Amino acid sequence: EAVNGTFETFPTLHASNDDTFTDESVDGNQNATMVTESGTAAHVNGGSKSGKVTLNDTSGYITYNKTDYVVGRNYRALVAMRAGDSQSITAFQVFAAESIRGEDGTDGTAITPSTSFQAIGVDFVATATTMFINMKFTGTSGHFSFIDNFSIKEFGVASGWTDADQQLHIPQTAL
């Protein structure tokens, strides 16, 4: 599970630490900045705050860093996203990769954002213990959008001879 994915408090920003977000303030190549936004109900997807992401070029990234994946296991990263009112954010896509801003791993479906929150994400198999969830925003420099309810969860059922922690259901015989 992601740390502070609801943005009710400002998330920790760092370029490589575990369970932190990366924006332009800690890595100048991200081309997007993120602040916590409290405001009208239209700007949040539950709770009272969201992450407001402003592009500083025609495309930019907000990245979530995680260093404790189990290689070979299945994960799902999800985020709710919407464009700001009267803002030109033309595309949004989520990637799971072994590098920051990487688009060479697993691609989520690209969307054309609207002013209503849409759930978007990526399913991936961990290929390393450290991986990055790269959220790519495309549009007009200076325009903004909102993200909320970011999460990463393990999913799927293990097969074959495995440890109990890999099984969703452990059959029990009746006595």
Side-chain angles (χ1 to χ4, degrees):
E1 186 73 35
V3 174
N4 192 26
T6 61
F7 301 96
E8 292 303 303
T9 58
F10 190 71
T12 302
L13 298 174
H14 194 276
S16 60
N17 283 359
D18 186 35
D19 293 326
T20 59
F21 287 89
T22 303
D23 76 351
E24 188 174 83
S25 70
V26 292
D27 181 334
N29 294 317
Q30 291 289 91
N31 294 330
T33 54
M34 181 173 64
V35 298
T36 300
E37 176 83 5
S38 56
T40 68
H43 296 162
V44 298
N45 193 39
S48 62
K49 296 181 181 175
S50 64
K52 180 180 180 183
V53 177
T54 303
L55 278 174
N56 298 319
D57 202 332
T58 56
S59 67
Y61 297 85
I62 297 295
T63 299
Y64 187 78
N65 314 309
K66 189 165 172 58
T67 64
D68 59 355
Y69 289 104
V70 177
V71 173
R73 291 200 183 170
N74 296 308
Y75 294 90
R76 175 172 291 139
L78 289 173
V79 64
M81 186 272 184
R82 73 174 290 260
D85 296 332
S86 301
Q87 302 296 299
S88 180
I89 303 297
T90 57
F92 178 75
Q93 189 169 9
V94 180
F95 302 88
E98 291 183 31
S99 61
I100 194 164
R101 293 178 302 282
E103 296 180 23
D104 55 350
T106 304
D107 303 357
T109 303
I111 64 165
T112 301
S114 69
T115 55
S116 297
F117 275 100
Q118 301 172 67
I120 187 73
V122 61
D123 291 346
F124 63 100
V125 176
T127 55
T129 56
T130 298
M131 292 187 70
F132 301 87
I133 303 302
N134 297 302
M135 294 172 268
K136 183 179 183 180
F137 301 78
T138 305
T140 301
S141 182
H143 286 224
F144 61 87
S145 57
F146 300 96
I147 58 174
D148 208 349
N149 299 332
F150 177 78
S151 67
I152 301 172
K153 296 181 181 174
E154 186 178 348
F155 75 95
V157 178
S159 62
W161 188 259
T162 63
D163 295 329
D165 72 334
Q166 293 179 312
Q167 295 292 347
L168 294 180
H169 304 285
I170 300 175
Q172 302 286 323
T173 55
L175 297 177

